[in-house]
C-alpha cells in the first residue's frame, strides 16, 4: 500500500491548501466548497489534507446514504433485549467535534444537505424516533466538493458555505508534466520525494498549530471592520453575516502570518474565498431604463440605412428588401444576453414539473436512492425496506411468542421511498424566417437560446432546438445532454424564407407527445421565439392554423413560454395572443431585464 500523498506535493493548488488551512485554524469559518471539473484534483486534495491532519478527525459521508444511515435510527439490539426505544446514532452524530467530508455534494438530496447545513448553523440536531425526540449538540466543520458539469447547487445552499475555491486543471504542458511526475514518484515510493515533501508537511503542520494558538489574541480594529463592510458594499452584498464571515477568515490569515491584528491585506485575501460564490446572487436588481451599449457594441458598424442617396428608387429598394427576406443569411450571436443564465435557470429549468414543481420526486416505485420508508401497501409490490421492517417488528417481539429469533407480521412491513430527479426536456421552437434576418433579430434570439441551453446542460436536462422557415419545420438539435454541438449549430443557423409557424408548433407538439409515451413523468417545456405572424398554412388560413395548434398544446401537460420578437412600430400582438391561448409565460425580447424575468418567475412557479 502506497503511503499518503503529501499535501505539499499537490501541484498548483496553493490557494486551495490555504483555504483548507483557514478552516483548520479557525472553526468559526465552518465550511468550504471545492469546485472543479474532472481531473482537477479535488479528491486528491481532500484525501491528502485528511492524512496530514489525522484521519481520526474526519468523517466521510458517501453520497446516496439513506436518512437512517445519516441521522440515526432505532437500536434494534437494545429493543429486542429490553424493549427500550433507543436512538442508534448515524454518521452525522459521530461527526461531532470533527470535519465532515462530502464528495459530489451537488448530487446529494436537497433535503439531506439542508438538514446538514441547518444543524451546523444552530449547533444541534433533532432526531425524531416515533414519539421520542432526541436533541444532540453538534459542532463540526464541513468540506464539500462538486463538479459543476454534474449540476449546480441552489442559491440558498451555495450561500450557506463560508468559503469556496475553484480548482483549475493544468493549463500548459509544464504544469501537466509536473503533475504526472509527482504522481509517478509517489506511486513508485520514491524515498527522496516522500522525505522532501513530508518534511515540508511537518513544517506546515507546525505553522497551523502556532496559528491556532495565536488566533484568540487576534484583534480587528474598528477601521478594518469598516473596511470589510466597504468591501461588501463595493460588490453589492448587504448581509451582516457575510461581514462576520469575512472578518473570521481574515483573523485566521492574520494568525497564519503571525500578525497581532487584521490588516487590509488579510481582508483582500479573505474576499477571494468568501465572496465569489455570493456576488452574482446578491447583485442589485437591474433597474429598467435605457441600456448603455458596451464598448464592443459601440464600435460595431451600424447597418446601412435605407433610402440615403444610394441611387435606388423606392420600388427598387422595396423589392430588394423582399428578396433579402427570401435569401439565406447568417447573423452572429449577440452579446447582450450573455449573463442571463443564472436568472433564467430558475424560470425555465427549476420551476416546472409534471405536478407543478420540477426537482426530486419521491415515490415507493422505480429506481433511485432510498431516502426514507413508509407503511407497506399491496400495490407497492416487493420494494421492501428491510431495516425499517425489522425495527417495527422488534417493537412487538415481547408480545409475540415464537421459536423464531424475530417474528414479522404483515403489518410490520415497510416500503422504500426512493428519490428520483424529475426528468425534464426543454424544446426551443425558433422562428428562422426571412423577417427575423431582415430586422436583425436573429442574433438576439441566438443569444437567448444559447444562454438557456447552457443552464439546461448544467442541470442535466435534455435540450433541443426546432426551427421553422421556408415551407416547414426542421429539428436542428434533437433533445440531448451534449453541450458541444449547440453553439456550432446556432452560429451557422441561417434565416430566410416564409414563416410556417403552424408547422413549427405542430412538429414541436408531435415530438414532445412521442417522448411522453416513453416517459410519463417527464416535465416538458416548449419555448417559442417568434413574432407570432405565420404566413404558411397547414390547411387554409396560416394564423387560424397556428391558433388551433396553440389550443391543442394548451390542453396537454406541456408548459410553454413565449419570447415575442416583434419590433416594428406598429405592434400586431400575434405572439402575445398565442401566449394567452397557451397560458404561457410571456416576454418581449427587446425588454428582457432581471425585473422582467422576476415577473415570469411568479407566473410559472
Amino acid at each position: 500500500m502506497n503511503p499518503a500523498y503529501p499535501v505539499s506535493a499537490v501541484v498548483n493548488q496553493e490557494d486551495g491548501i490555504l483555504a483548507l488551512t483557514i478552516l483548520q485554524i479557525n472553526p468559526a469559518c465552518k465550511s468550504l466548497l471545492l469546485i472543479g471539473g474532472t481531473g482537477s484534483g479535488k479528491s486528491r486534495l481532500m484525501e491528502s489534507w485528511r492524512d496530514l491532519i489525522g484521519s481520526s478527525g474526519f468523517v466521510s459521508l458517501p453520497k446516496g446514504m439513506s436518512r437512517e444511515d445519516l441521522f440515526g435510527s432505532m437500536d434494534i439490539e437494545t429493543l429486542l433485549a429490553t424493549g427500550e426505544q433507543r436512538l442508534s446514532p448515524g454518521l452525522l452524530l459521530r461527526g461531532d467535534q470533527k470535519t465532515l467530508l462530502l464528495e459530489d455534494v451537488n448530487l446529494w438530496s436537497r433535503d439531506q444537505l439542508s438538514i446538514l447545513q441547518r444543524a451546523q448553523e444552530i449547533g444541534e440536531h433533532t432526531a425524531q424516533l416515533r414519539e421520542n425526540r432526541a436533541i444532540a449538540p453538534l459542532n463540526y466543520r464541513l468540506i464539500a466538493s462538486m463538479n459543476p458539469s454534474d449540476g449546480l447547487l441552489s442559491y440558498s445552499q451555495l450561500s450557506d458555505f463560508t468559503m469556496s475555491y475553484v480548482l483549475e486543471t493544468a493549463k500548459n504542458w509544464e504544469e501537466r508534466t509536473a503533475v504526472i511526475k509527482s504522481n509517478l514518484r509517489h506511486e513508485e515510493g520514491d524515498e527522496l520525494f516522500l522525505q522532501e515533501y513530508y518534511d515540508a508537511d511537518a513544517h506546515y503542520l507546525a505553522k497551523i498549530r502556532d496559528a491556532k494558538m495565536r488566533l484568540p489574541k487576534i484583534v480587528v480594529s474598528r477601521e478594518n471592520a469598516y473596511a470589510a463592510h466597504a468591501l461588501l458594499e463595493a460588490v453589492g452584498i448587504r448581509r451582516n453575516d457575510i461581514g462576520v464571515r469575512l472578518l473570521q477568515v481574515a483573523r485566521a490569515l492574520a494568525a497564519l502570518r503571525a500578525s497581532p491584528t487584521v490588516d487590509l491585506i488579510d481582508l483582500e485575501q479573505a474576499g477571494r474565498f468568501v465572496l465569489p460564490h455570493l456576488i452574482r446572487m446578491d447583485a442589485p436588481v437591474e433597474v429598467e431604463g435605457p441600456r448603455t451599449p458596451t464598448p464592443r457594441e459601440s464600435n460595431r458598424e451600424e447597418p446601412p440605412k435605407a433610402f440615403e442617396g444610394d441611387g435606388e428608387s423606392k420600388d427598387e429598394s422595396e423589392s430588394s428588401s423582399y428578396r433579402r427576406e427570401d435569401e439565406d443569411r447568417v447573423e452572429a450571436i449577440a452579446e447582450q444576453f450573455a449573463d442571463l443564465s443564472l436568472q433564467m435557470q430558475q424560470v425555465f429549468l427549476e420551476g416546472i414539473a409534471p405536478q407543478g414543481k420540477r426537482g426530486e420526486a419521491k415515490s415507493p416505485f422505480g429506481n433511485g436512492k432510498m431516502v426514507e420508508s413508509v407503511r407497506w401497501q399491496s400495490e407497492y409490490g416487493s420494494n421492501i425496506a428491510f431495516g425499517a421492517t425489522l425495527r417495527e417488528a422488534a417493537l412487538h417481539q415481547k408480545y409475540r411468542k415464537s421459536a423464531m429469533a424475530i417474528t414479522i407480521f404483515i403489518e410490520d412491513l415497510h416500503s422504500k421511498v426512493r428519490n428520483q430527479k424529475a426528468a425534464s426536456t426543454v424544446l426551443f421552437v425558433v422562428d428562422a424566417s426571412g423577417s427575423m434576418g431582415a430586422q436583425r433579430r436573429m442574433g438576439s434570439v441566438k443569444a437567448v437560446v444559447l444562454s438557456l441551453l447552457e443552464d439546461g446542460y448544467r442541470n442535466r436536462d435534455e435540450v433541443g432546438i426546432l426551427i421553422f422557415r421556408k415551407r416547414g419545420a426542421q429539428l436542428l438539435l434533437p433533445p440531448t445532454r451534449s453541450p458541444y454541438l449547440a453553439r456550432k449549430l446556432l452560429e451557422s443557423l441561417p434565416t430566410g424564407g416564409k414563416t410556417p409557424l403552424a408547422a413549427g408548433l405542430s412538429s414541436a407538439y408531435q415530438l414532445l407527445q412521442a417522448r411522453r409515451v416513453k416517459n410519463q413523468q417527464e416535465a416538458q417545456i416548449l419555448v417559442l421565439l417568434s413574432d407570432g405572424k405565420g404566413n404558411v398554412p397547414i390547411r387554409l388560413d396560416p394564423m387560424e392554423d397556428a391558433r388551433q395548434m396553440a389550443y391543442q398544446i394548451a390542453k396537454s401537460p406541456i408548459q410553454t413560454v413565449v419570447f415575442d420578437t416583434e419590433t416594428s412600430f406598429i405592434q400586431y400582438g400575434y405572439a402575445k395572443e398565442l401566449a394567452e391561448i397557451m397560458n404561457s409565460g410571456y416576454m418581449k425580447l427587446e425588454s428582457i431585464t432581471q425585473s422582467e424575468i422576476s415577473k415570469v418567475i411568479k407566473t410559472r412557479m
Side-chain angles (χ1 to χ4, degrees):
M1 182 177 178
N2 288 333
Y5 195 91
V7 170
S8 305
V10 178
V11 178
N12 295 323
Q13 300 297 353
E14 290 80 7
D15 280 349
I17 296 171
L18 180 58
L20 291 164
T21 303
I22 293 167
L23 190 64
Q24 186 66 30
I25 292 172
N26 189 354
C29 294
K30 292 190 176 180
S31 57
L32 168 66
L33 177 62
L34 300 174
I35 306 169
T38 304
S40 59
K42 303 184 297 298
S43 298
R44 169 57 57 86
L45 186 57
M46 291 172 70
E47 291 169 3
S48 298
W49 187 256
R50 179 192 60 198
D51 292 329
L52 174 69
I53 302 301
S55 57
S56 61
F58 292 82
V59 174
S60 294
L61 302 182
K63 63 178 180 289
M65 296 179 65
S66 69
R67 191 178 294 272
E68 288 85 357
D69 292 336
L70 184 57
F71 303 119
S73 61
M74 192 182 299
D75 187 338
I76 295 181
E77 291 185 9
T78 302
L79 186 61
L80 289 172
T82 67
E84 179 187 354
Q85 295 185 37
R86 181 184 298 175
L87 181 68
S88 175
L91 282 177
L92 177 60
L93 296 179
R94 297 173 196 170
D96 187 34
Q97 305 300 322
K98 296 183 180 181
T99 300
L100 303 184
L101 299 178
L102 280 73
E103 291 200 57
D104 299 318
V105 68
N106 48 327
L107 301 181
W108 273 63
S109 159
R110 292 187 180 186
D111 292 341
Q112 291 184 358
L113 180 57
S114 296
I115 293 173
L116 278 174
Q117 293 178 321
R118 175 65 177 165
Q120 186 184 43
E121 180 184 351
I122 65 176
E124 65 181 29
H125 173 62
T126 302
Q128 189 74 34
L129 188 63
R130 290 187 170 272
E131 63 276 7
N132 299 324
R133 198 161 174 259
I135 300 178
L138 274 176
N139 183 14
Y140 55 84
R141 302 180 182 95
L142 185 62
I143 301 175
S145 69
M146 63 174 279
N147 184 342
S149 65
D150 291 331
L152 301 176
L153 293 173
S154 68
Y155 289 152
S156 60
Q157 290 170 334
L158 193 64
S159 67
D160 281 339
F161 283 96
T162 306
M163 297 183 289
S164 69
Y165 172 69
V166 178
L167 292 86
E168 296 183 357
T169 54
K171 302 181 184 68
N172 51 50
W173 175 247
E174 288 77 10
E175 290 183 3
R176 288 193 290 272
T177 302
V179 171
I180 293 170
K181 285 184 177 179
S182 181
N183 285 324
L184 286 175
R185 292 183 68 185
H186 172 255
E187 289 176 4
E188 293 167 357
D190 188 323
E191 293 185 3
L192 291 176
F193 168 83
L194 295 174
Q195 188 62 46
E196 174 188 351
Y197 286 111
Y198 283 150
D199 288 346
D201 276 7
H203 178 69
Y204 198 72
L205 198 55
K207 286 181 64 177
I208 292 174
R209 293 194 189 104
D210 293 342
K212 291 178 71 173
M213 295 178 63
R214 285 190 289 265
L215 182 70
K217 302 177 182 178
I218 301 297
V219 178
V220 179
S221 66
R222 179 174 300 198
E223 291 78 10
N224 283 331
Y226 287 149
H229 286 288
L231 177 59
L232 297 182
E233 284 285 338
V235 295
I237 296 177
R238 299 180 177 86
R239 288 172 50 181
N240 292 331
D241 61 320
I242 305 302
V244 174
R245 292 184 193 177
L246 188 66
L247 291 174
Q248 290 289 12
V249 173
R251 288 181 68 234
L253 288 166
L256 188 62
R257 62 184 188 87
S259 171
T261 61
V262 170
D263 203 348
L264 288 177
I265 189 172
D266 300 316
L267 289 174
E268 292 175 359
Q269 198 168 17
R272 287 167 30 205
F273 299 113
V274 176
L275 302 180
H277 60 294
L278 303 170
I279 290 175
R280 293 197 68 171
M281 181 181 65
D282 284 332
V285 174
E286 176 186 346
V287 179
E288 290 192 48
R291 183 175 167 276
T292 304
T294 63
R296 182 172 178 178
E297 291 172 328
S298 300
N299 295 332
R300 199 176 287 165
E301 291 185 5
E302 292 291 330
K305 296 182 180 179
F307 317 123
E308 284 195 357
D310 54 3
E312 292 186 67
S313 67
K314 182 176 180 179
D315 291 340
E316 290 172 340
S317 298
E318 286 181 349
S319 61
S320 175
S321 174
Y322 282 113
R323 283 198 304 272
R324 282 197 296 271
E325 284 196 14
D326 290 332
E327 294 171 354
D328 284 356
R329 64 163 63 189
V330 178
E331 192 171 337
I333 299 174
E335 299 290 333
Q336 66 263 39
F337 300 123
D339 61 345
L340 285 181
S341 57
L342 287 179
Q343 294 86 5
M344 302 308 287
Q345 175 183 329
Q346 290 190 14
V347 181
F348 302 115
L349 306 178
E350 286 188 351
I352 303 170
Q355 286 79 34
K357 297 282 184 181
R358 177 187 173 275
E360 291 182 337
K362 294 181 180 179
S363 171
F365 308 100
N367 299 318
K369 58 189 176 186
M370 176 184 169
V371 293
E372 59 184 348
S373 58
V374 295
R375 289 279 182 181
W376 181 84
Q377 297 177 23
S378 58
E379 61 265 27
Y380 291 171
S382 59
N383 196 21
I384 303 297
F386 292 102
T389 299
L390 288 172
R391 286 191 292 272
E392 181 67 26
L395 285 169
H396 311 290
Q397 291 309 298
K398 61 182 179 180
Y399 307 113
R400 297 174 182 174
K401 295 181 180 180
S402 172
M404 300 178 66
I406 183 169
T407 305
I408 299 176
F409 289 178
I410 193 168
E411 57 264 27
D412 300 327
L413 295 178
H414 279 63
S415 178
K416 296 176 181 178
V417 174
R418 300 180 182 274
N419 225 353
Q420 277 187 299
K421 187 175 180 181
S424 183
T425 294
V426 184
L427 181 63
F428 292 95
V429 183
V430 180
D431 183 349
S433 62
S435 60
M436 296 286 286
Q439 298 188 31
R440 311 291 292 178
R441 292 174 289 179
M442 199 59 193
S444 298
V445 167
K446 290 180 179 181
V448 170
V449 172
L450 186 63
S451 182
L452 301 183
L453 277 168
E454 289 172 355
D455 272 330
Y457 294 136
R458 292 191 193 104
N459 285 278
R460 286 298 186 261
D461 295 306
E462 293 199 357
V463 184
I465 305 173
L466 185 146
I467 65 169
F468 55 93
R469 60 192 290 259
K470 295 185 177 180
R471 304 298 303 180
Q474 174 192 355
L475 185 59
L476 188 70
L477 177 68
T480 179
R481 291 190 179 99
S482 171
Y484 303 109
L485 192 58
R487 178 174 281 273
K488 287 185 178 180
L489 291 172
L490 285 171
E491 285 176 346
S492 59
L493 174 61
T495 57
K498 295 185 177 182
T499 312
L501 173 60
L505 292 175
S506 177
S507 297
Y509 175 77
Q510 292 173 24
L511 172 65
L512 294 176
Q513 285 295 97
R515 290 180 62 86
R516 186 169 294 282
V517 171
K518 297 179 181 179
N519 185 358
Q520 293 289 330
Q521 299 301 315
E522 181 180 69
Q524 296 180 334
I525 307 150
L526 187 157
V527 183
L528 175 64
L529 298 101
S530 174
D531 59 8
K533 188 177 181 180
N535 53 26
V536 177
I538 294 179
R539 296 180 180 87
L540 296 175
D541 180 78
M543 290 307 302
E544 186 57 31
D545 289 345
R547 293 187 191 99
Q548 290 302 318
M549 281 309 311
Y551 281 119
Q552 194 166 353
I553 292 170
K555 295 176 184 177
S556 73
I558 300 170
Q559 299 284 335
T560 52
V561 180
V562 175
F563 282 91
D564 188 351
T565 63
E566 187 174 33
T567 57
S568 57
F569 180 74
I570 299 175
Q571 301 280 312
Y572 294 98
Y574 293 123
K576 190 170 186 179
E577 180 186 359
L578 290 176
E580 290 171 353
I581 293 173
M582 295 188 291
N583 191 27
S584 301
Y586 173 80
M587 266 192 227
K588 290 287 289 184
L589 186 67
E590 61 188 5
S591 63
I592 290 181
T593 61
Q594 288 186 7
S595 59
E596 184 69 21
I597 290 167
S598 68
K599 296 176 187 176
V600 177
I601 292 175
K602 292 176 183 177
T603 62
R604 308 312 297 167
M605 299 293 276

